[in-house]
Structures are given as structure tokens and as C-alpha cells.
Amino acid sequence: MTDCPFFHFLITTEFNGTTLTDSCGNTLQESVTFVSSYNTPQPIPFLTSSCMTACAAPLSITLSFSHPIQNFTSNLLSIEGGLVVGMIAMTPDSDPSSQSFLLYLSPQTPFVSVINITLPAAVTTDHNGYHNIRSNTLSITLSLTLA
């Protein structure tokens, strides 16, 4: 199974030369095409950072969701080599259908050179009870300064 970052399905059904009859007995014998679109109701998280290589700590990371979620805390993140030292919930002024968090990370030890961060699937929900899908994995290389 391929891990898709966005779930959008387009379903096309064609009835060529088929007679369609509705519940009132009306028939249609022309070629007919029905197109239906479906978007996943699950919150889709996406991690970004303005610095990916030779970054100085603390790092700033943005975690964005496709629509608002509930009960998010930084301990839900899976982080290798780093620690969250601060978090700010961003107010969705321009797009109330989404939600973002600004996270600040520091290396776990002075000798860490890479921090990997991801949000696992099904750790938070939206107001309808739908669990999030897994986020992308962000891998950031730090600039080490040894004294």
C-alpha cells in the first residue's frame, strides 16, 4: 500500500448505450457520465521547517492540519534526537478550516546531529471524532558547535 499525503478520490461511472430507468419509469437511453469527488474526513498533518541543513538550535517547526483538531499536545509527536522546548497554537485567521502549531525543538544531547520528527496516525481527533493520518517525517541536520 502506498502512503499518500492527501486522500482525494475521483470516481467516474459511464453508462454508454444503456437504458437508465428512474423510480417513476422515465427512461434515458443516451450516454451518461456521473463524476463524484470524495475528500477524506480525517485530519491530515504536515510538518515543515524553514531550515533543513546546518540549523542552529532551537529549531522552529510548523505542524499544520487540514482542519482543526482537538487535544493536541507535543508529547504525541515521535521525535528522535530532540526535545520540544516550546509550542504555540496558531490562530487560523485566514483559513478557519485548518489549524497549525509552531514548535521549538532542541537536541536531546550536545552531540546529536540529526533530529527526526513525525506525528503518528490516530493520536488526535477532530470535532467529529475522526483520527489523524500519519504525518510526513521531517529530518533536520543540526550545525554542531563543539567547545
Side-chain angles (χ1 to χ4, degrees), residues 22-99:
D22 66 15
S23 60
C24 297
N26 300 313
T27 60
L28 178 64
Q29 294 182 335
E30 300 172 10
S31 295
V32 178
T33 301
F34 296 101
V35 177
S36 178
S37 179
Y38 173 76
N39 284 313
T40 181
Q42 294 175 286
I44 302 169
F46 193 73
L47 292 160
T48 57
S49 177
S50 59
C51 185
M52 298 301 291
T53 57
C55 304
L59 306 167
S60 65
I61 307 290
T62 303
L63 171 60
S64 302
F65 287 89
S66 58
H67 54 277
I69 49 94
Q70 301 180 66
N71 305 319
F72 176 76
T73 60
S74 62
N75 65 340
L76 298 174
L77 293 162
S78 174
I79 304 171
E80 296 173 6
L83 302 167
V84 175
V85 293
M87 182 177 86
I88 301 171
M90 309 294 279
T91 305
D93 293 332
S94 61
D95 185 5
S97 66
S98 66
Q99 186 173 11

